[in-house]
Amino acid sequence: MKILTLLFFLVSLISQAQTFELRNKKLIRYYDLINEAEKKIITNDLNGANVLYKKAFREFKYPHAKDLQNSMKVALKTNDLETAYAHYQTLKCLGKKFDDDFLTKNFKNYEEYKKIPCQNTIDLTYKKSLDSLVKVDQYYRKLSGGNYQAYKKEITKSDSIASTNLLKLIQKKGFPNEYNIGLEMKSWVYFHDFYLIIWHQLASNNISSQKVNFSNEIVKALNDGKIRPDIAGFLLDLNNNTYDYSYFKIYQFNSNDERSDCCYVSKDFLPENRNESSLKKIQQVNGKRKLLGLSSTEEEVRKSIFYLNNKDYIFSNNVIEGWNFNNSKDADIMKKSLIKLDDTPH
């Protein structure tokens, strides 16, 4: 029995110490260029961003929808209409819905531009199967009205069914992405509904225990270019109960009277406020982020700050983290370790 216990302990340690990494060299170059393009956007060097996006798309012929959208916006603002129209067509092929007047408003002579046939095929059967699993995942959560403990047994069962069947589907048909199941119109950051099933397999779940750890599938999808690094890092942290891929976050405080107080960030966002402990943690997070193809956590929060007043662009899945407190004094205690962005040079 002692030997079995020791073996279990060693396996646990190895699992916790596992390093997830993007190894696809073309995708490494792609994300390096995308990260640089996004930095150009927030410094208003749109011509520079336009050049970098073109280089990135030569590295990877299936760019993510967020990158296509950002590149299209940059091309429109720099009057590179041919490029913008090409990305518009690709986004339409992925299923993006545009305003009725978007085409005539932005491309007055669109008949002059090259027509590009769709390079993808939407697998409606796969999409239908995924949607069915999402309904299983969401059914008792919606029925509970937020009181998940009241339906703990039912949620545990439905989570097990949804997660194990999702794993089987992925192993049979490959990891779903926007090129084979289209875009989720309800999500402004193009976050697929089926990601919720993976989310609910978080290792720290106190409602239903983890039945499937999707880490291997996520990392394989990352190296196949089928999931964005920001979403991959988010889901890996959840599935492994880690905080490897995010340090700086923007916080919003909500109260029972539906008022909100935004936006705050950790005091050590400012380098002069960092101590040895926070410096070490930031370096660790940035090292892990680099392995996935992500920019530094400081750069990510700068992009999120930019996004707050520039909704044309999408940079990350995780822009604002909301906190709800029944007692305003509890919120005030947390705010002592934060600084409000309105009062911060950033």
Side-chain angles (χ1 to χ4, degrees), residues 27 30-31 34 53 56-69 71 87 90-91 94 177-179 183 225 228:
L27 285 171
Y30 171 78
Y31 291 122
I34 291 296
Y53 276 120
F57 297 163
R58 286 196 290 270
E59 294 290 340
F60 181 44
K61 66 177 182 178
Y62 297 109
H64 300 295
K66 88 165 181 67
D67 301 330
L68 285 166
Q69 176 171 318
S71 180
H87 296 338
T90 304
L91 287 166
L94 298 180
N177 78 334
E178 50 217 20
Y179 283 86
L183 298 171
R228 289 175 4 214

Side-chain angles (χ1 to χ4, degrees), residues 136-182:
V136 172
D137 174 88
Q138 291 291 299
Y139 182 78
Y140 286 107
R141 285 180 168 85
K142 291 180 178 178
L143 197 63
S144 73
N147 183 15
Y148 295 159
Q149 289 292 342
Y151 287 84
K152 183 174 181 178
K153 182 178 178 181
E154 291 84 355
I155 290 174
T156 298
K157 183 178 180 180
S158 60
D159 279 2
S160 177
I161 293 170
S163 60
T164 54
N165 280 284
L166 176 60
L167 180 62
K168 289 175 185 176
L169 271 175
I170 289 173
Q171 291 174 340
K172 179 181 178 182
K173 297 179 70 71
F175 200 91
N177 78 334
E178 50 217 20
Y179 283 86
N180 65 353
I181 63 167

Side-chain angles (χ1 to χ4, degrees), residues 33-46:
L33 290 163
I34 291 296
N35 290 332
E36 287 301 311
E38 291 176 352
K39 285 168 67 175
K40 295 287 187 184
I41 288 173
I42 67 173
T43 58
N44 201 34
D45 181 3
L46 299 186

Side-chain angles (χ1 to χ4, degrees), residues 197-247:
I197 298 171
I198 302 175
W199 184 336
H200 295 146
Q201 292 302 296
L202 69 166
S204 61
N205 197 333
N206 62 357
I207 303 297
S208 62
S209 59
Q210 185 182 79
K211 293 295 185 294
V212 179
N213 186 309
F214 282 92
S215 296
N216 290 336
E217 284 68 32
I218 293 168
V219 174
K220 184 179 185 304
L222 177 71
N223 278 281
D224 290 339
K226 292 185 175 181
I227 189 171
R228 289 175 4 214
D230 61 306
I231 296 175
F234 171 72
L235 294 175
L236 286 170
D237 268 344
L238 289 172
N239 269 219
N240 297 286
N241 195 24
T242 55
Y243 298 90
D244 287 342
Y245 302 106
S246 185
Y247 185 88

